[in-house]
Amino acid sequence: MSDILEGLNEQQKEGVITTEGPVLLLAGAGSGKTRVLTHRVAYLLEQGVAPYHIMAITFTNKAAGEMRERINHMIGFGAESIWVATFHSTCVRILRRYIDRLGYDTNFTIYDSDDQKTLMKDVCKYLEIDTKIHKEKMFLNVISSAKDELISPEEFTNRALGDYNKTRQAQVYREYQARLKANNALDFDDLIRLAVELLKNDPEVLDYYRNRFQYIMVDEYQDTNTAQFELVRLLASGRENLCVVGDDDQSIYKFRGANIYNILNFEHHYPEAKVIKLEQNYRSTQNILNAANEVIANNEGRKKKTLWTANDAGDKIRFEQFESAYEEAQFIASNIRTRVMREGYHYNDCAVLYRTNAQSRMLEEKMVHDNIPYKIVGGVNFYARREVKDILAYLKVVDNEVDDIAVRRIINVPKRGIGAASLNKVTLFAAANEMSFYDALTKAGEIPSLGRAAKKIEPFVQLISDAREHLANGSIAGLFEYIIDVTGYVEDLQLEGTDEAKGRIENIDELRNKIIAFETEHEDATLRSFLEEVSLVADIDSLDENSDYVVLMTLHAAKGLEFPNVYLAGMEDGLFPSFMSITADDSDQEIEEERRLAYVGITRAKEHLTITAAKMRMVRGDMQYSAVSRFVQEIPSELIDGVVYTPKKKFDVGYDAGGYGSSTGYGSSTGYGSSSGYGSSAGYSGSAGSAGLFGSAAYGQGGFSLKGKKTQAQKYQAKNFGTKIEKKGLDYAVGDRVSHVKFGEGEVTAINDGGRDYEVTVDFDRVGVKKMFASFAKLKKC
DNA sequence: GGTTTGAAACTTTTT
DNA sequence: GTTTCAAACC
């Protein structure tokens, strides 16, 4: 027996050597599943399987990258021809090669959710749908779910017969799909769906790939949706050497179409499947693991398994409830400080996890304040930022001019004086002549209604064709510089000179770096391959374990990661589990999904787990008062260091009748101050003193700005009044002589009350008459 | 055609 | 509290 199996436990060994036939590897958190997968690959190679025939699919580029690295490390030569990729990039690679068989062009563009929204807006406008009643987002959700379930526009239409609303949705779906095709674009869901369609309908393609992928492994199988399952099923058909790895307790992407039954019913799909459970946890202390087990045990409908560990009991779980989110953040920051300063941990040993991205703001402020290096994962994707998308849109148009969304994005960025009226005329012309928007632009001179506006369009068309020429005899980086140069994009931002503009310039610089890095790493880099990579990256992919910073991210983003010190912030009912899940029609199911999320959070911790909650917190501008999360209460008190108040009543009474926090809600109706610790909002705000005081003291504008970010109030202040807001009386009057820093001395000829400020007219000796606002001019009486 | 302003939506999670 | 989008204004 080879040394490949050395150091593995019995179950892991079984997972490695059971190479033939379907295998379900139920891998609890921290049970070493990646280890099994990489050893399995090594084992396959040792058995004489060609690397070319092995495939491993993951969800994120980060996971794929890690697996690739570990495989390389273990195997070395030959490993590069093993197919390790995400679902989406796998499908892109298949489609780039064969999508022409489905009537698409192989140089298709990939639309992100932003592009989808823009496209949907156009569709709704065209179909005269009142988006006040039917939201674009709703249609996109409907379509996305349909695609996840492999329902084509035609089938959707058939199923909708007799139902007015559904028929309308079908109409939108058809139009949306038609436009995608006309733009030569695919959305994320199309990537999977069309790959499946191709494999289903084209025996030649199917044969090619299933012969190529003779041994298939799928990571995070609990997160696959119906389309992804179908893809895997097709590829594995025939040999059925399919090994899926997952943990039903960590299924947290139902909202994105993940079908938990893919894993729960795996044995049903493949009756001969071998099921192997990995239950030994190598990651966490006994106490942390026990807590996780106790919490998840409250879920029904799961594959029963109990994680155990040979690790020490470790510290108890620390729980702290604070008056406010402000104090909570303060505590977390100072606690991290202590860990680093006194206990020898590094910043990157610490992670703060929360339910919603909105919670990151307060935490970020405290990190800045305490000088703690940090990185926020999630929120706005780098490639979704306006300036980045603008530049990318130029690149996209150079690559695929049929992409109307990209063309429209940049046609008037920077301003070329081409307005909505002109664009409408071009659109009409394009529709009448059945050509793309861009083609219509190239024929602007032939559109009579345009008149003089045609002259404004010509330079744009010229720019694109010049840029294309530029690319032909240069690099992507060269093209990038060219575009920055001729559009004056960065120049304009420099002139703006605001902190915000500086931030945007930094992002553009960052984009430049990414392009250069891409070209350095890939010898055969093309514009298309760059754009493709860019459209398939997730924020989590940018996480670098070697950099010493604290990571702030959502619980969803944390899946698959581990840290010695984990902070679970905002553990409050209504926030986590979310208000939506508590009030949903299928609340039981939704709460179970939230509980799985809690389980994911707890099991990220290796050594220390700190759970925090706040009694009150600002949500959407107003105060919300919350009880400690039910999930915290599901942890046995002997595992906890800290006091968790238990409610007198069960939660299932609250939330519905008079709304959140009304006196009909949970807890005692006498409100805050009762020993239960649960207050109705009416009760709490009765003690207005503390809340009011706190509000002004803690949430004031603060003396620092966040990496160029400013609050709206600060921006307003900066823009209109410099540093002072109050309108002060003037110590000079008409006829007085005053002096100005730049213009020198002059005589005041008029003073007008302009509302918030005075408008002063001065006749300067050197430069003549100037009008200015008093608070800006800072005139001094001579 | 461009800019400013106020109202309304948003916040559960995202490849 | 912040962002987005349209109407009103320049």
Side-chain angles (χ1 to χ4, degrees):
Chain A
M1 192 62 44
S2 72
D3 58 355
I4 289 174
L5 300 179
E6 215 171 282
L8 300 178
N9 68 34
E10 283 312 308
Q11 289 73 30
Q12 290 177 327
K13 276 182 197 164
E14 220 182 332
V16 170
I17 62 172
T18 314
T19 58
E20 308 300 304
V23 177
L24 169 58
L25 210 55
L26 279 173
S31 61
K33 58 162 188 174
T34 313
R35 199 145 175 252
V36 173
L37 283 178
T38 47
H39 284 246
R40 189 182 162 90
V41 169
Y43 186 80
L44 281 169
L45 294 175
E46 203 190 60
Q47 299 292 304
V49 175
Y52 175 79
H53 287 315
I54 300 172
M55 171 191 224
I57 309 187
T58 63
F59 271 87
T60 65
N61 295 299
K62 185 169 188 292
E66 271 165 18
M67 192 171 305
R68 157 81 59 206
E69 198 175 303
R70 288 174 74 162
I71 289 174
N72 284 351
H73 188 74
M74 205 168 164
I75 296 148
F77 186 73
E80 65 281 350
S81 52
I82 298 171
W83 186 297
V84 185
T86 65
F87 269 103
H88 290 87
S89 64
T90 296
C91 290
V92 170
R93 276 163 83 176
I94 295 175
L95 292 172
R96 284 271 185 241
R97 194 157 164 183
Y98 292 114
I99 200 173
D100 51 338
R101 300 188 180 200
L102 294 175
Y104 281 82
D105 200 295
T106 51
N107 73 344
F108 59 84
T109 309
I110 301 164
Y111 275 3
D112 65 15
S113 46
D114 219 48
D115 303 324
Q116 286 181 292
K117 213 173 155 196
T118 312
L119 184 64
M120 183 54 77
K121 237 182 225 165
D122 293 347
V123 169
C124 287
K125 206 168 168 189
Y126 174 74
L127 295 176
E128 295 180 330
I129 286 166
D130 183 358
T131 50
K132 288 252 156 56
I133 304 163
H134 303 284
K135 295 271 156 52
E136 292 100 331
K137 225 174 146 188
M138 183 273 292
F139 287 116
L140 285 170
N141 281 334
V142 168
I143 292 173
S144 177
S145 311
K147 287 180 175 179
D148 284 349
E149 294 294 322
L150 296 168
I151 300 167
S152 66
E154 296 71 35
E155 197 181 336
F156 194 99
T157 309
N158 291 338
R159 290 192 191 186
L161 270 177
D163 182 324
Y164 177 79
N165 259 330
K166 290 230 168 96
T167 304
R168 194 80 170 145
Q169 288 168 1
Q171 192 187 13
V172 173
Y173 187 6
R174 287 199 307 271
E175 181 64 26
Y176 172 80
Q177 208 54 33
R179 285 181 184 232
L180 275 177
K181 199 161 182 178
N183 291 356
N184 198 17
L186 307 188
D187 64 20
F188 283 125
D189 303 314
D190 277 343
L191 295 176
I192 315 284
R193 187 182 68 105
L194 293 177
V196 169
E197 199 177 312
L198 187 64
L199 294 173
K200 255 190 190 155
N201 299 329
D202 198 316
E204 201 187 329
V205 176
L206 178 62
D207 270 351
Y208 172 78
Y209 283 108
R210 63 180 180 181
N211 185 51
R212 158 115 207 225
F213 304 129
Q214 299 185 359
Y215 291 86
I216 300 175
M217 279 155 273
V218 184
D219 195 13
E220 305 282 10
Y221 188 67
Q222 75 282 352
D223 290 330
T224 52
N225 62 33
T226 302
Q228 286 158 339
F229 167 73
E230 196 59 18
L231 180 83
V232 169
R233 192 187 67 78
L234 284 162
L235 290 174
S237 60
R239 292 184 178 77
E240 302 198 332
N241 293 328
L242 171 65
C243 174
V244 301
V245 188
D247 179 2
D248 51 309
D249 288 334
Q250 295 187 61
S251 164
I252 53 173
Y253 282 111
K254 189 174 139 215
F255 71 93
R256 205 170 65 189
N259 186 347
I260 193 169
Y261 294 104
N262 284 348
I263 192 163
L264 293 180
N265 293 343
F266 188 77
E267 297 152 82
H268 185 75
H269 291 301
Y270 295 100
E272 70 282 23
K274 180 148 193 183
V275 181
I276 301 165
K277 289 184 182 180
L278 302 181
E279 293 181 304
Q280 181 175 2
N281 172 297
Y282 295 94
R283 179 187 294 156
S284 310
T285 64
Q286 195 86 61
N287 280 338
I288 291 169
L289 205 57
N290 286 348
N293 281 336
E294 290 287 340
V295 170
I296 199 65
N298 291 288
N299 271 8
E300 289 167 16
R302 53 187 285 258
K303 291 195 179 272
K304 198 131 186 115
K305 56 185 167 313
T306 307
L307 284 179
W308 61 277
T309 182
N311 293 343
D312 293 342
D315 287 355
K316 284 186 178 181
I317 290 155
R318 181 158 181 192
F319 173 75
E320 297 282 345
Q321 187 182 21
F322 297 92
E323 288 301 313
S324 64
Y326 183 86
E327 290 168 39
E328 179 191 40
Q330 207 156 33
F331 166 80
I332 291 173
S334 76
N335 200 263
I336 289 174
R337 233 158 200 228
T338 313
R339 293 259 186 243
V340 174
M341 298 301 170
R342 304 227 187 101
E343 297 174 27
Y345 285 105
H346 292 277
Y347 289 114
N348 59 1
D349 291 329
C350 307
V352 187
L353 312 181
Y354 38 77
R355 179 69 236 273
T356 67
N357 277 312
Q359 286 165 260
S360 66
R361 182 170 293 268
M362 183 71 68
L363 292 160
E364 180 177 19
E365 275 184 27
K366 283 292 139 206
M367 296 294 153
V368 172
H369 182 261
D370 287 8
N371 266 324
I372 296 173
Y374 67 94
K375 180 180 171 73
I376 295 181
V377 175
V380 185
N381 186 326
F382 174 77
Y383 294 106
R385 286 162 210 226
R386 190 171 78 197
E387 58 281 8
V388 178
K389 278 215 86 173
D390 283 347
I391 304 297
L392 285 178
Y394 273 97
L395 300 179
K396 277 179 155 185
V397 173
V398 168
D399 180 54
N400 173 27
E401 62 181 39
V402 192
D403 183 353
D404 285 3
I405 300 289
V407 176
R408 285 169 181 277
R409 184 181 181 96
I410 52 169
I411 177 79
N412 201 30
V413 176
K415 302 245 170 352
R416 299 187 173 89
I418 306 166
S422 305
L423 294 184
N424 275 336
K425 287 169 193 161
V426 178
T427 308
L428 284 174
F429 182 83
N433 295 284
E434 292 186 342
M435 55 172 69
S436 73
F437 186 77
Y438 185 82
D439 280 341
L441 287 177
T442 62
K443 298 185 165 54
E446 298 167 30
I447 308 175
S449 56
L450 268 181
R452 280 187 302 155
K455 280 271 169 286
K456 295 176 181 165
I457 293 174
E458 277 164 18
F460 174 75
V461 175
Q462 191 60 43
L463 192 165
I464 297 299
S465 94
D466 287 352
R468 209 166 275 162
E469 219 161 280
H470 217 85
L471 177 67
N473 43 33
S475 60
I476 311 171
L479 172 67
F480 171 88
E481 297 304 339
Y482 178 76
I483 286 166
I484 295 289
D485 198 36
V486 286
T487 57
Y489 202 101
V490 172
E491 221 174 308
D492 289 350
L493 285 170
Q494 275 163 350
L495 285 174
E496 247 181 73
T498 59
D499 283 357
E500 194 189 327
K502 278 179 197 151
R504 291 188 191 283
I505 293 172
E506 276 172 27
N507 286 335
I508 290 173
D509 289 340
E510 183 65 27
L511 179 61
R512 174 188 289 114
N513 293 340
K514 299 212 180 209
I515 291 174
I516 294 170
F518 184 82
E519 289 195 304
T520 317
E521 281 163 30
H522 303 83
E523 257 177 48
D524 52 349
T526 61
L527 177 58
R528 188 167 307 153
S529 63
F530 174 73
L531 290 173
E532 185 176 300
E533 171 158 308
V534 155
S535 51
L536 294 178
V537 298
D539 210 41
I540 189 71
D541 297 334
S542 68
L543 191 64
D544 175 12
E545 268 91 5
N546 299 317
S547 304
D548 194 20
Y549 46 56
V550 176
V551 191
L552 277 57
M553 63 190 151
T554 62
L555 288 150
H556 281 88
K559 194 173 59 131
L561 306 176
E562 58 177 33
F563 302 89
N565 300 306
V566 167
Y567 298 81
L568 296 181
M571 291 293 274
E572 296 137 39
D573 249 52
L575 185 61
F576 187 31
S578 71
F579 182 71
M580 303 263 281
S581 66
I582 295 169
T583 53
D585 291 339
D586 58 340
S587 182
D588 288 0
Q589 298 257 321
E590 304 250 323
I591 295 282
E592 291 213 348
E593 173 117 344
E594 298 272 311
R595 189 175 283 111
R596 289 193 288 272
L597 197 52
Y599 175 78
V600 168
I602 295 169
T603 53
R604 295 312 95 195
K606 291 163 91 168
E607 295 162 27
H608 300 284
L609 177 63
T610 307
I611 296 177
T612 60
K615 286 179 185 164
M616 58 180 175
R617 119 178 13 248
M618 278 288 211
V619 179
R620 279 200 232 152
D622 47 29
M623 251 341 154
Q624 220 179 58
Y625 306 86
S626 313
V628 175
S629 170
R630 64 191 71 191
F631 301 144
V632 179
Q633 300 174 40
E634 288 167 2
I635 302 173
S637 55
E638 63 267 23
L639 297 177
I640 294 187
D641 178 12
V643 185
V644 183
Y645 291 104
T646 38
K648 284 176 180 158
K649 287 185 196 169
K650 272 285 184 192
F651 289 94
D652 46 13
V653 224
Y655 293 117
D656 41 6
Y660 195 52
S662 80
S663 62
T664 53
Y666 53 82
S668 78
S669 58
T670 49
Y672 188 73
S674 77
S675 61
S676 75
Y678 283 78
S680 67
S681 90
Y684 202 129
S685 55
S687 59
S690 66
L693 231 174
F694 170 76
S696 62
Y699 286 100
Q701 305 206 340
F704 54 90
S705 77
L706 251 41
K707 290 199 304 184
K709 281 182 219 162
K710 284 195 171 165
T711 64
Q712 202 173 26
Q714 282 170 328
K715 276 185 206 162
Y716 182 79
Q717 185 181 345
K719 191 170 150 195
N720 293 290
F721 302 104
T723 47
K724 54 183 166 188
I725 283 189
E726 279 164 52
K727 172 178 166 183
K728 290 216 177 98
L730 302 174
D731 61 352
Y732 46 82
V734 175
D736 284 344
R737 295 225 10 119
V738 292
S739 79
H740 183 272
V741 193
K742 205 168 142 197
F743 301 138
E745 287 189 15
E747 189 183 321
V748 179
T749 56
I751 296 177
N752 291 314
D753 194 331
R756 291 197 187 93
D757 201 353
Y758 293 102
E759 190 193 56
V760 186
T761 312
V762 184
D763 186 0
F764 289 104
D765 302 339
R766 278 193 292 122
V767 292
V769 180
K770 297 268 178 201
K771 275 188 186 177
M772 58 197 73
F773 283 115
S775 56
F776 267 126
K778 301 207 177 66
L779 297 167
K780 283 208 180 72
K781 194 175 173 184
C782 299

